[in-house]
Amino acid sequence: MKARHKRIALIVAGLAVLGIGTALVLNAFNSNLVFFFSPTQVLAGEAPKGKTFRIGGLVKEGSVERLADGVSVRFAVTDTDQTLPVQYKGILPDLFKEGKGVVAQGKLEEGGLFVATEVLAKHDENYMPPEAQKAVSDAHAKAGEKKAAIEAAEQAAAKSLK
């Protein structure tokens, strides 16, 4: 083999190793990538089917229910517009409370139940994950728009009756 052929073979081998390494890194990154969705987005069908993702919002008041096995918990996560039922088996964080911010990671089952593998709670009085805060703010804005439209329709109906 000539020196020129050895050099070309070495370059091709180096590029192949670099390509394989890049493919392995991208595959690991893709399998560990977890997206965030609000309950409204999940119920609208925007969340991936059969893949792990995160939901966030507020724990709905009066929704926390501890199951008979003593380890499983059911609760609802809301963005004040939509509510999604969640089931989690494990020890909840100390800061987990009704009416407080929460982020749960897991998968959505066929019946619309989100089965969480991890639950994260806020870490101080003012903290809510930015994505969850945006989802709650968007839901409040949408609810305000709906309320204003309903009030306008009621006023128009009242005027037409007079």
Side-chain angles (χ1 to χ4, degrees):
M1 210 184 218
K2 293 182 182 178
R4 180 175 159 205
H5 292 307
K6 286 182 181 178
R7 216 174 310 140
I8 290 173
L10 209 86
I11 290 172
V12 169
L15 288 174
V17 168
L18 182 63
I20 291 170
T22 302
L24 290 173
V25 167
L26 290 176
N27 184 36
F29 179 72
N30 192 31
S31 64
N32 289 321
L33 190 63
V34 179
F35 291 103
F36 178 90
F37 295 93
S38 69
T40 300
Q41 291 172 314
V42 172
L43 295 173
E46 296 176 26
K49 305 281 188 251
K51 291 197 173 195
T52 300
F53 62 94
R54 289 182 176 178
I55 61 162
L58 302 173
V59 179
K60 186 174 181 180
E61 294 284 342
S63 70
V64 176
E65 171 189 349
R66 302 204 185 272
L67 302 181
D69 66 2
V71 186
S72 298
V73 178
R74 283 184 182 236
F75 58 93
V77 175
T78 183
D79 58 7
T80 67
D81 188 28
Q82 296 286 338
T83 302
L84 184 68
V86 177
Q87 183 169 332
Y88 175 67
K89 185 172 187 173
I91 299 172
L92 289 169
D94 291 338
L95 297 173
F96 179 88
K97 290 184 176 70
E98 293 179 354
K100 301 297 181 182
V102 68
V103 174
Q105 181 174 317
K107 292 182 180 181
L108 188 64
E109 288 189 343
E110 291 297 320
L113 176 68
F114 186 82
V115 179
T117 56
E118 184 178 7
V119 173
L120 308 168
K122 65 176 186 62
H123 73 306
D124 71 10
E125 286 303 312
N126 301 318
Y127 178 76
M128 183 181 291
E131 297 91 349
Q133 182 62 45
K134 182 180 181 323
V136 170
S137 298
D138 290 349
H140 277 300
K142 188 186 279 187
E145 290 171 6
K146 285 181 184 177
K147 185 178 179 183
I150 289 170
E151 288 175 355
E154 287 175 349
Q155 288 176 355
K159 285 182 182 178
S160 67
L161 292 176
K162 288 182 181 179

